[in-house]
Amino acid sequence: MNKKNLLIYFITFSFTLIGYSQKKYTSFKPGTLWLDNNDKHINAHGGGILIYNNTYYWFGEHKTSGSTGNKAMVGVGVYSSTDLYNWKDEGIALKVINDTTSMLQKGSIIERPKVIYNKKTDKFVMWFHHELKDQGYTAALTGVAVADDITGPYKYINSFRLHAGILPLNFSKKEFEAAEIIQDRKDENWKEKVIKGAYFKKDFEVGQMSRDMTLFVDDDETAYHITASENNQTLHISKLADDYLSVTNEYIRVFPGGRNEAPAIFKKDGKYYMFSSGLTGWKPNPGKSAVADDIMGEWKSLGNPCIGTEKEEATTFWSQSTYVIPVIGKKDAFIFMGDRWTPKNAIDGRYIWLPVEFENNKPVLKWQSEWDLNFFNNN
Ligand code: DGJ
């Protein structure tokens, strides 16, 4: 071997070694510590994935340790991966703002960030659940930020309530007029009144609440904002404007009084599927699933998608949905992404990723202590 070949051999060998050392995982082990390229547990909770240039980008809440861990002390983190197992820390995509007059100041609450790419404007658009500093979960706002590059920096635009003064497509003026405003649950027939629009009417002038949220981009590039509104009692699905920076007036109420949080949407064979959860704070509860022929309704409940022991079914394998990932290059391969929250030490929250299976035309989830993407070849 001459010197030149030896050098090429040496360089190739070194790169292979580097590549090998970066690929520490070849499978998913739900619920275990999941280390990034810096050997730190991935910090991207309540996350979502954007696929761009054949790479997965995972955006999520950057939690901290200690009692302020669930508040936004840093911002929204982003990681990248080409194989879904091994993730590179790409830094903080959206930073909290060091100014106490800003709504996005340190100590506000930023949850469930989701990023989508707008082909027309060539911009990356992030939406997130936003609560104002020291106001608990009362503000119930949705926030928007935008960036030229996928990993940021994202420029904060604004946070707001939705659809002030606008009726949903599936709620008539007559129904609105008949709705009775109530203030709390002590009211007799509380649930029935909520279904008929009590909370909706209460917020009609100021705008509808938005808490747990997700985004979904359809095949025709139309994007949708899906959120827990009406004091978490009813989901609202809104069509976004062409630039994805605001909502249009087209929106619907889904499962009035159904108490859904944590919505996550995916599309298979022309049908829209939704995973969501019930409403028990950081504690897990039985998962829910639903299907629709049209994302703007009617949605039909498909029940708890989890198949397992009584405890697993009652707790979504001790997790709460956040997103569903379509696997690049594999038809009908979807991964359920959930959070196993650890509110006392939020930074330690674990990730429950499971393959979505279909049985009798329903999406189902079964526990896997370890699995890999070959699962989809065998099923
Ligand atoms: C459940 C939600 O899904 C989370 O995103 C978070 O808002 C917690 N509730 C807060 O209790």
Side-chain angles (χ1 to χ4, degrees), residues 41-80:
H41 180 50
I42 295 171
N43 196 345
H45 310 266
I49 303 274
L50 174 60
I51 297 172
Y52 184 72
N53 277 347
N54 274 316
T55 303
Y56 300 93
Y57 289 86
W58 177 356
F59 295 84
E61 302 157 23
H62 182 101
K63 306 267 196 191
T64 53
S65 40
S67 60
T68 50
N70 286 306
K71 294 188 176 158
M73 307 310 282
V74 178
V76 173
V78 55
Y79 293 78
S80 66

Side-chain angles (χ1 to χ4, degrees), residues 74-76 92-98 104 110 153-154 156:
V74 178
V76 173
I92 300 301
L94 173 71
K95 289 192 174 128
V96 290
I97 296 174
N98 210 357
L104 204 71
I110 298 177
Y154 282 75
Y156 175 54

Side-chain angles (χ1 to χ4, degrees), residues 266-338:
F266 66 104
K267 190 176 183 182
K268 179 181 174 289
D269 300 331
K271 285 188 190 296
Y272 301 84
Y273 293 91
M274 187 196 298
F275 287 127
S276 62
S277 76
L279 198 56
T280 49
W282 297 113
K283 295 207 181 86
N285 53 53
K288 305 183 196 194
S289 61
V291 64
D293 291 327
D294 182 339
I295 191 168
M296 294 301 273
E298 285 281 311
W299 280 89
K300 188 178 145 240
S301 170
L302 294 177
N304 186 343
C306 302
I307 298 180
T309 63
E310 212 176 308
K311 195 173 164 199
E312 287 168 340
E313 290 181 3
T315 63
T316 318
F317 309 103
W318 208 274
S319 80
Q320 189 180 27
S321 43
T322 185
Y323 199 77
V324 175
I325 311 167
V327 179
I328 299 173
K330 286 190 190 273
K331 195 178 174 304
D332 296 341
F334 299 95
I335 300 175
F336 165 91
M337 247 175 111

Side-chain angles (χ1 to χ4, degrees), residues 157-320:
I157 301 177
N158 200 4
S159 303
F160 39 83
R161 289 279 184 98
L162 292 169
H163 306 299
I166 309 287
L167 283 178
L169 298 174
N170 61 353
F171 193 61
S172 69
K173 202 165 171 225
K174 207 168 153 200
E175 286 170 300
F176 176 69
E177 276 160 9
E180 192 185 325
I181 295 180
I182 50 165
Q183 296 304 334
D184 61 40
R185 284 162 176 252
K186 284 182 203 118
D187 197 284
E188 233 179 285
N189 303 325
W190 170 80
K191 180 151 186 176
E192 201 184 308
K193 287 178 183 171
V194 166
I195 293 171
K196 288 187 171 162
Y199 288 158
F200 174 84
K201 193 166 182 173
K202 179 163 71 69
D203 287 332
F204 187 66
E205 297 300 336
V206 291
Q208 298 300 322
M209 291 179 159
S210 180
R211 291 203 182 113
D212 280 11
M213 53 73 59
T214 192
L215 300 175
F216 178 77
V217 181
D218 213 338
D219 305 329
D220 65 359
E221 301 299 323
T222 308
Y224 299 86
H225 179 271
I226 301 98
T227 191
S229 191
E230 302 182 30
N231 219 7
N232 288 336
Q233 302 301 309
T234 299
L235 290 170
H236 286 183
I237 301 185
S238 310
K239 194 190 261 190
L240 293 188
D242 282 352
D243 62 6
Y244 300 171
L245 296 174
S246 60
V247 290
T248 64
N249 287 344
E250 286 176 60
Y251 79 110
I252 55 166
R253 296 176 81 216
V254 177
F255 298 131
R259 298 164 66 76
N260 284 276
E261 274 195 325
I265 290 195
F266 66 104
K267 190 176 183 182
K268 179 181 174 289
D269 300 331
K271 285 188 190 296
Y272 301 84
Y273 293 91
M274 187 196 298
F275 287 127
S276 62
S277 76
L279 198 56
T280 49
W282 297 113
K283 295 207 181 86
N285 53 53
K288 305 183 196 194
S289 61
V291 64
D293 291 327
D294 182 339
I295 191 168
M296 294 301 273
E298 285 281 311
W299 280 89
K300 188 178 145 240
S301 170
L302 294 177
N304 186 343
C306 302
I307 298 180
T309 63
E310 212 176 308
K311 195 173 164 199
E312 287 168 340
E313 290 181 3
T315 63
T316 318
F317 309 103
W318 208 274
S319 80
Q320 189 180 27

